[in-house]
Amino acid sequence: NAGVTQTPKFQVLKTGQSMTLQCAQDMNHEYMSWYRQDPGMGLRLIHYSVGAGITDQGEVPNGYNVSRSTTEDFPLRLLSAAPSQTSVYFCASSWNRRNTEAFFGQGTRLTVV
Amino acid sequence: KQEVTQIPAALSVPEGENLVLNCSFTDSAIYNLQWFRQDPGKGLTSLLLIQSSQREQTSGRLNASLDKSSGRSTLYIAASQPGDSATYLCAALSSNDYKLSFGAGTTVTVRA
């Protein structure tokens, strides 16, 4: 059982480039979300989805885009990378939004130069 | 806006000592509180989840308590081992908007 799989594990981008961080889960979870983790701060919610075709913004959505065409996949797109987006990105999933354990991917360490 | 705080940011103890990790939150309107473990360069692994109606939850050497009215949760790790060295994060799930708010974590080092 793979759980939550994120790719790539590491990425270096130049300012202005775009890219997509991939996230897939094989647990048939309804709820998926993206977080960023910066030193000394808690994880911050970027975007989330409560099911296929439904997405919404979190705490820090600017500069990021998401879509959810299937239950399994929830990619995160950086539209035009900026140094402020240098961070570690985590994808998570759970059965639904309430009262359930969250499962996290291994993370993507992104550096924007 | 929910604010979650974990103090101290880092802790070093000798092997065998019991660990006490603190988590405080400002808004008591929560569905649950989760404790996670994060190893360097890895993702988060869920350790314990306490529902808002519960006072504590136990798993092996781990015990977590929740006091909603005072906005506090505590994770106890009995008889610590070097393998317990990691960063421990707590997260509160809001019952208003169903969003998880995370603390910045406590980094634990257990010395052999």
Side-chain angles (χ1 to χ4, degrees):
Chain A
N1 191 345
V4 180
T5 303
Q6 286 184 240
T7 56
K9 197 169 173 62
F10 301 96
Q11 183 71 48
V12 178
L13 286 180
K14 293 183 179 178
T15 297
Q17 285 185 317
S18 63
M19 79 159 295
T20 299
L21 308 185
Q22 301 291 345
C23 175
Q25 52 93 7
D26 61 0
M27 298 172 281
N28 203 30
H29 285 171
E30 288 183 353
Y31 185 75
M32 297 185 73
S33 51
W34 277 100
Y35 295 86
R36 60 178 289 172
Q37 185 177 38
D38 299 294
M41 302 179 71
L43 276 75
R44 291 182 291 167
L45 181 65
I46 304 171
H47 284 286
Y48 65 94
S49 168
V50 298
I54 307 169
T55 64
D56 206 345
Q57 296 181 349
E59 184 184 354
V60 288
N62 292 341
Y64 307 95
N65 208 350
V66 292
S67 60
R68 182 112 178 257
S69 56
T70 67
T71 299
E72 294 79 18
D73 300 301
F74 190 44
L76 177 73
R77 296 182 190 84
L78 278 71
L79 308 173
S80 177
S84 61
Q85 293 179 303
T86 294
S87 188
V88 182
Y89 292 85
F90 289 100
C91 178
S93 74
S94 58
W95 277 112
N96 54 50
R97 298 186 73 177
R98 311 179 193 184
N99 291 340
T100 57
E101 183 182 359
F103 294 82
F104 280 77
Q106 293 292 293
T108 296
R109 184 173 294 275
L110 175 69
T111 302
V112 182
V113 298
Chain B
K1 180 177 179 288
Q2 177 76 275
E3 300 288 342
V4 180
T5 304
Q6 293 183 251
I7 296 172
L11 190 58
S12 178
V13 299
E15 183 176 4
E17 191 165 299
N18 296 333
L19 282 164
V20 180
L21 306 180
N22 298 306
C23 172
S24 62
F25 48 94
T26 56
D27 187 348
S28 62
I30 64 170
Y31 263 122
N32 62 46
L33 189 132
Q34 267 188 261
W35 282 92
F36 295 89
R37 170 182 171 138
Q38 185 177 27
D39 293 291
K42 303 289 187 182
L44 282 67
T45 300
S46 180
L47 296 174
L48 288 169
L49 183 151
I50 314 176
Q51 304 292 357
S52 61
S53 58
Q54 296 177 309
R55 296 285 291 183
E56 65 178 83
Q57 190 69 257
T58 299
S59 176
R61 293 186 295 113
L62 277 60
N63 174 277
S65 66
L66 175 65
D67 185 341
K68 261 182 53 174
S69 60
S70 66
R72 292 182 193 172
S73 177
T74 303
L75 178 67
Y76 302 90
I77 303 177
S80 61
Q81 304 167 359
D84 294 328
S85 298
T87 297
Y88 293 83
L89 298 97
C90 66
L93 182 67
S94 168
S95 56
N96 293 322
D97 59 14
Y98 314 124
K99 291 176 182 171
L100 268 178
S101 295
F102 284 83
T106 296
T107 299
V108 171
T109 302
V110 180
R111 308 186 303 272

